[in-house]
Amino acid sequence: MKYSVFPGCSLEKGALGYPYWQSMEVVLKPLGIELVEVDDWNCCGATEYIALNRMAAYALIARTLALAAKTDGLREMVAPCSACYLNLAKTDTYLAQDAALAEKVNGALAAGGLHYKPGAVRTRHLLDVIVNDVGYTPIEAKVTKPLTGLRIAPYYGCLFGRPKLDGVVDDPEYPVALDKLMQALGAEVVDYPMKAHCCGGHMTQISEASAFEMIRRLVKGAADYKADLIVTVCPMCQMNLDGFQSAMNRYFKTDYHIPVLYFTQMMGLAFGESARALGIGAEIVDARPALARIGVEVPPSEETPPAAKPRRPKEALPMPAMPGREEV
Amino acid sequence: MHQTVSNGAPKTFLDQVIAATPGQSHLEMCIQCGTCGGSCPSGPDMDSTPRNLFAMIRAGMKERVLRSNAPWFCVSCYYCMVRCPQDIHVTDVMYTLKRMSVKSKLYDESTAPDFSKTFIFWVENFGRSFELGLMSQHMIRHNPFGVFKIADMGVGMVTKGRISFTPKRIKGMDSLRAILDKAKEIEAEDDAKIMGGAG
C-alpha cells in the first residue's frame, strides 16, 4: 500500500510532534505501508489563517492539494495530524461542493502556476488508514510484546471524527477505532467518556482559564477511570495534555501525572520495538512508571539536561580569602 | 453559494454572513433550539451563545454581533456542527464572524486575532509555521510573565529536542506568495460585492 504523506509543521524534526513521526515510520514498515512525502508542502494554516482571510486560507491548503496531486500519481494522502487532516479534507470537500469557490481558489493558484481539481486527492487520517486499510487482524499478528496489564484511555479529540465529512468512518461523538486498535495490541481499554472532547486547541495561548479547564476535564477523566496513560492521535492534543499538564496542576492545585503517548508509539512497543526508536522519553509527563508495568524500560534522554549555572564563574573577581588558603 | 452574491448587493446582515462563509452554511435554517450552545465546551465563557448570535444576525444587530467575544472562544471542536438538527455549519459561521469583526475593528479584548496574525506572519514568509517563534512572540507581547508559568515545560521541550530554533522556508515561497496575494485580491473583490458598500 502506497500513499503520499503530508507531515505538517508539527511533525517536522525539531518540532513538538516529531516523536509521532518517528514512531509512525517505525510501525508502518512492517505493515507494508509506503509513504511518499509531498514535495515542498506548506502549512495548512491551522485554525489561524481562516480566522483572518478566507480565500488565502483556502488557497494555502489548495496549493498543498495541487502538489499532492502531482505526487507519483497517488490518489490518497495520509495526514497524521488531526488538524492538518481536517483542513485538507474539509477544503477539498467544500471545493467539490461549491464550483464558484473552486473557481476563485483556482484563480489564486494560477498566480503560482498551479491548478487543483477538487476530489483529485483524498486526504485521510493516519489512524483511519491503519485500522481500515491494514485492519486489526494483521496488526494483532505483528504483536510480539502485548500491552497486557496497561490501562489505556483512548483519546481522539475533535478533528479525527468531526465534522462528519464524506468518507469518515467512525462515529463523531463515540469513535471506537482507537479503542479496538489498543485492544488488538493487548491493552486494557477504559471506556473513556471524554474521548472525543476538545483539548482546547490554541486556547493555552489566548485564555488560560478556559484552556486549563478543558485540559483538566480530560486529565481528570482519565485519572478517574484509573488509566495508566492517555493515547492520542494528534500532536496538538499531545502538547496540550502533556506539555501543559503541570501548568494546569498549578492552576487548579491538583497533582495529576498522566503520561500522554501517541498510538503509533504504543503499536511500536507491542511490535517489540525499542522505546528510544519510537521517540519515547521526549514526553514531559514521565511515562516510565506506566511503561514499567509492561516491562518496558525507557532509557534516559540522550541529551543531558543543562548543568545548573554556577552562581559565579571561576574567572570572576575572587572573593576575599586568607593568603595561602586554597578555595575549597 | 448563496443566491445574493451574483444579484448585486445583499440586503441583510444575514445574507452577508452567509455569502462570506465558504460552503453551504445553512444559517438561514436556524430553528433556535440551542443545541449549539449546549454542546459548546466554551459556552460558559461566551457573552452570547451561538443561538443568541444567530438570532441577532437575523435581527440585523451587526455591531453587537461583531463585538461579541463568542467567536473568539470557539475552539473549532465541531460538536455544534455535528449535532445541529438543521445542519448549520456553526464553526464556519464563527470563522466568518471573526473575519468580519477584525475587518471592522470591532473585536473584543481577546488576543486571539493577534495570535492569528503572528501565526500567519510565519506562514506568509516561510510557508511553514514555527512553534518557538509563534509562542514566544505572542507571549512577549501579551503575557510576558506567563513564560515563568510554563518554564518547566519549555526546559523539558528544549532538552528533549522537541523545539527547533530555526524556522524552515519552503522552496516555492515566491509562488506561494503570489498565490496568497492573488487570493487576498479576490477576497477583497468578493467582499466589496458581499458588503455592497454597506459594510
Side-chain angles (χ1 to χ4, degrees):
Chain A
M1 285 172 277
K2 197 173 172 184
Y3 308 83
S4 60
V5 63
F6 176 83
C9 307
S10 298
L11 266 68
E12 287 197 277
K13 194 165 171 41
L16 294 173
Y18 185 58
Y20 190 12
W21 180 262
Q22 282 176 295
S23 52
M24 176 190 82
E25 286 200 309
V26 170
V27 299
L28 289 190
K29 229 170 267 169
L31 296 175
I33 292 184
E34 194 188 331
L35 298 180
V36 184
E37 185 170 334
V38 173
D39 186 41
D40 212 37
W41 55 270
N42 53 256
C43 172
C44 76
T47 48
E48 308 311 322
Y49 218 154
I50 189 73
L52 296 181
N53 300 94
R54 68 173 185 282
M55 283 303 166
Y58 274 69
L60 180 79
I61 295 164
R63 178 183 177 272
T64 290
L65 290 171
L67 295 174
K70 291 195 209 172
T71 307
D72 287 13
L74 297 166
R75 296 285 315 272
E76 299 203 336
M77 172 167 66
V78 176
C81 166
S82 301
C84 300
Y85 154 72
L86 166 88
N87 271 340
L88 293 156
K90 188 176 130 187
T91 298
D92 192 33
T93 304
Y94 283 15
L95 290 177
Q97 287 170 355
D98 187 339
L101 179 67
E103 197 187 314
K104 286 170 193 162
V105 168
N106 268 318
L109 284 184
L114 291 170
H115 181 85
Y116 179 69
K117 187 173 172 285
V121 176
R122 182 172 165 223
T123 310
R124 297 175 64 193
H125 193 283
L126 177 65
L127 177 62
D128 168 25
V129 167
I130 287 180
V131 302
N132 292 310
D133 293 9
V134 178
Y136 302 105
T137 318
I139 289 171
E140 221 173 325
K142 296 271 183 246
V143 174
T144 56
K145 285 184 73 180
L147 309 179
T148 315
L150 204 57
R151 281 175 69 85
I152 287 179
Y155 178 56
Y156 302 77
C158 307
L159 307 176
F160 167 69
R162 287 192 305 273
K164 191 122 179 81
L165 297 168
D166 288 345
V168 173
V169 282
D170 220 337
D171 190 275
E173 301 210 26
Y174 192 77
V176 292
L178 185 58
D179 294 56
K180 290 203 241 169
L181 178 61
M182 290 301 118
Q183 277 163 354
L185 303 179
E188 190 184 337
V189 175
V190 304
D191 191 7
Y192 185 39
M194 315 299 291
K195 61 181 171 181
H197 283 233
C198 179
C199 74
H202 70 185
M203 272 302 175
T204 53
Q205 303 298 301
I206 288 153
S207 168
E208 246 181 20
S210 42
F212 290 158
E213 172 55 22
M214 278 184 254
I215 294 170
R216 186 193 67 85
R217 289 175 206 167
L218 296 171
V219 174
K220 179 182 186 296
D224 285 351
Y225 277 69
K226 298 192 170 44
D228 296 315
L229 50 88
I230 294 173
V231 168
T232 176
V233 304
C234 170
M236 181 92 221
C237 300
Q238 203 281 341
M239 179 179 77
N240 278 341
L241 295 183
D242 175 41
F244 286 97
Q245 198 174 124
S246 63
M248 177 277 289
N249 273 328
R250 275 194 296 279
Y251 188 84
F252 289 108
K253 300 188 170 49
T254 51
D255 191 26
Y256 295 108
H257 295 278
I258 307 272
V260 188
L261 293 178
Y262 293 104
F263 75 102
T264 41
Q265 293 178 314
M266 303 319 293
M267 290 174 74
L269 290 176
F271 293 175
E273 302 287 349
S274 78
R276 175 166 289 172
L278 299 164
I280 295 176
E283 60 285 343
I284 303 298
V285 178
D286 197 354
R288 280 174 295 183
L291 296 181
R293 296 171 59 97
I294 51 165
V296 170
E297 272 187 46
V298 182
S301 157
E302 262 174 28
E303 292 84 355
T304 44
K309 200 175 154 208
R311 288 190 60 89
R312 191 170 58 89
K314 283 250 187 320
E315 39 314 340
L317 285 173
M319 292 294 284
M322 291 299 284
R325 273 191 69 171
E326 293 296 316
E327 202 179 336
V328 234
Chain B
M1 259 311 187
H2 200 249
Q3 68 282 357
T4 42
V5 183
S6 49
N7 305 342
K11 295 284 186 290
T12 66
F13 184 38
L14 174 65
D15 286 332
Q16 292 175 345
V17 174
I18 291 172
T21 307
Q24 307 289 337
S25 73
H26 304 142
L27 181 57
E28 73 284 3
M29 304 296 283
C30 177
I31 54 169
Q32 291 288 296
C33 69
T35 303
C36 44
S39 306
C40 182
S42 307
D45 292 319
M46 293 179 172
D47 52 21
S48 303
T49 61
R51 166 174 64 169
N52 290 165
L53 287 183
F54 297 168
M56 290 194 279
I57 291 172
R58 267 194 205 166
M61 299 161 74
K62 186 170 185 172
E63 184 171 336
R64 187 146 162 218
V65 169
L66 297 185
R67 279 192 195 285
S68 168
N69 72 6
W72 303 105
F73 276 104
C74 171
V75 286
S76 295
C77 75
Y78 292 88
Y79 260 118
C80 51
M81 204 156 139
V82 297
R83 288 180 180 175
C84 176
Q86 296 294 87
D87 194 21
I88 295 172
H89 292 186
V90 184
T91 314
D92 295 339
V93 173
M94 288 295 164
Y95 279 120
T96 300
L97 297 179
K98 286 185 191 191
R99 292 190 296 271
M100 286 184 159
S101 137
V102 170
K103 278 176 188 162
S104 53
K105 298 194 168 54
L106 288 172
Y107 61 88
D108 77 321
E109 69 285 354
S110 170
T111 64
D114 209 50
F115 181 75
S116 300
K117 282 176 195 161
T118 311
F119 187 98
I120 289 169
F121 166 83
W122 293 102
V123 175
E124 290 184 343
N125 288 285
F126 292 86
R128 302 258 168 106
S129 79
F130 177 47
E131 289 158 346
L132 183 66
L134 173 64
M135 286 171 75
S136 54
Q137 277 183 1
H138 189 74
M139 208 164 234
I140 286 164
R141 249 182 246 154
H142 296 289
N143 186 14
F145 296 106
V147 74
F148 297 112
K149 293 190 201 159
I150 58 157
D152 51 348
M153 167 191 174
V155 170
M157 295 290 184
V158 171
T159 55
K160 289 169 183 192
R162 288 178 66 186
I163 284 195
S164 167
F165 290 97
T166 44
K168 280 191 184 148
R169 193 188 294 268
I170 62 168
K171 289 177 280 174
M173 201 53 234
D174 291 344
S175 148
L176 175 60
R177 208 169 271 149
I179 291 170
L180 298 178
D181 287 347
K182 183 70 188 169
K184 286 180 187 171
E185 208 178 282
I186 294 171
E187 180 164 347
E189 284 166 20
D190 233 28
D191 278 353
K193 276 186 219 157
I194 292 167
M195 298 306 175

